[in-house]
């Protein structure tokens, strides 16, 4: 979301994040109500069939949602591969190798099949994020000169209250905000797998 804020500026960025958070809350609540009303539906496609009946259109949508989830999870894997590249920035890993490392990490964490194990992983993730924030704040408090480097080119660190993005930057920023709230479509599959 940092790139979205850089593209939109603080004011419009905060407005969009709050708007999409409320929209996500509303659609998530509707999805939860559908799952309660149709407890035998264990997938998003199953919910569509339960609500609209079995027809050719619902079968197409049922199959289409899995094509969508394939690309959606592929997008998550790309973000994870880029994160691995950023973590090991000194090694100059190519994306396929970074994606393989990311898949190795996913293979371990995907073995968590109960909510108890997921809760332990969530606590570990929370502690990791808080430690990163604490280290960053401690480093900033020491007055360290922080330089952002990508292929030896420095990036400007100016933040604007209101930015005037180009069409491409606007599209990238709005899709990153929407992407941040897009995980609820896989919710029924997660619940049915647990």
């Amino acid at each position: 979301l940092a790139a979205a804020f850089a593209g939109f500026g603080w004011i419009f960025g905060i407005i969009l994040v709050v708007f999409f958070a409320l929209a996500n809350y509303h659609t998530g609540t509707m999805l939860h109500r559908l799952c309660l009303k149709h407890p035998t539906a264990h997938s998003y496609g199953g919910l569509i069939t339960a609500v609209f009946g079995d027809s050719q259109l619902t079968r197409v949508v049922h199959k289409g949602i899995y094509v969508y989830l394939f690309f959606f999870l592929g997008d998550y894997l790309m973000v994870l591969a880029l994160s691995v590249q950023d973590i090991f920035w000194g090694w100059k890993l190519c994306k396929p190798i970074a994606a393989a490392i990311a898949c190795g990490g996913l293979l371990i964490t995907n073995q968590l099949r109960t909510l108890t194990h997921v809760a332990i992983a969530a606590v570990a993730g929370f502690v990791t994020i808080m430690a990163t924030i604490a280290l960053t704040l401690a480093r900033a408090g020491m007055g360290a000169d922080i330089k952002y480097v990508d292929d030896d080119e420095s990036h400007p660190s100016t933040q604007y209250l209101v930015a005037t993005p180009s069409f491409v930057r606007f599209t990238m920023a709005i899709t990153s905000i929407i992407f941040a709230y897009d995980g609820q479509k896989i919710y029924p599959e997660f619940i049915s797998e647990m």
Side-chain angles (χ1 to χ4, degrees):
L1 290 178
F5 276 94
F8 285 126
W10 283 100
I11 295 171
F12 194 51
I14 290 171
I15 290 170
L16 283 175
V17 166
V18 169
F19 171 77
F20 283 110
L22 293 173
N24 188 56
Y25 177 77
H26 175 68
T27 56
T29 302
M30 291 187 326
L31 181 61
H32 176 70
R33 288 178 185 164
L34 280 174
C35 287
L36 290 177
K37 188 173 182 180
H38 303 283
T40 58
H42 296 291
S43 67
Y44 210 76
L47 279 174
I48 293 168
T49 304
V51 172
F52 296 107
D54 190 22
S55 68
Q56 186 67 25
L57 180 62
T58 56
R59 284 190 290 268
V60 168
V61 172
H62 187 32
K63 288 172 181 52
I65 195 71
Y66 293 104
V67 172
Y68 166 78
L69 289 176
F70 174 78
F71 287 109
F72 179 72
L73 293 175
D75 197 19
Y76 268 134
L77 181 61
M78 181 60 71
V79 170
L80 192 54
L82 292 172
S83 297
V84 168
Q85 282 183 317
D86 287 342
I87 290 169
F88 301 109
W89 61 272
W91 292 7
K92 303 287 186 199
L93 294 173
C94 64
K95 281 191 183 99
I97 299 297
I101 293 169
C103 286
L106 286 174
L107 184 63
I108 296 167
T109 58
N110 285 346
Q111 304 309 311
L112 307 174
R113 302 298 268 184
T114 65
L115 289 176
T116 303
H117 292 118
V118 171
I120 293 168
V123 169
F126 175 77
V127 169
T128 304
I129 290 169
M130 288 297 118
T132 304
I133 290 171
L135 289 172
T136 303
L137 290 176
R139 174 106 180 179
M142 289 185 227
D145 184 26
I146 299 173
K147 183 179 177 187
Y148 299 96
V149 178
D150 184 18
D151 295 330
D152 299 326
E153 294 177 13
S154 296
H155 297 285
S157 60
T158 306
Q159 292 291 318
Y160 300 102
L161 284 178
V162 178
T164 55
S166 66
F167 176 76
V168 173
R169 286 191 63 177
F170 175 83
T171 305
M172 289 175 65
I174 195 77
T175 54
S176 69
I177 291 174
I178 292 170
F179 177 74
Y181 291 112
D182 202 32
Q184 68 182 352
K185 290 179 184 65
I186 202 163
Y187 169 78
E189 278 78 6
F190 280 154
I191 295 302
S192 68
E193 288 293 320
M194 297 236 154

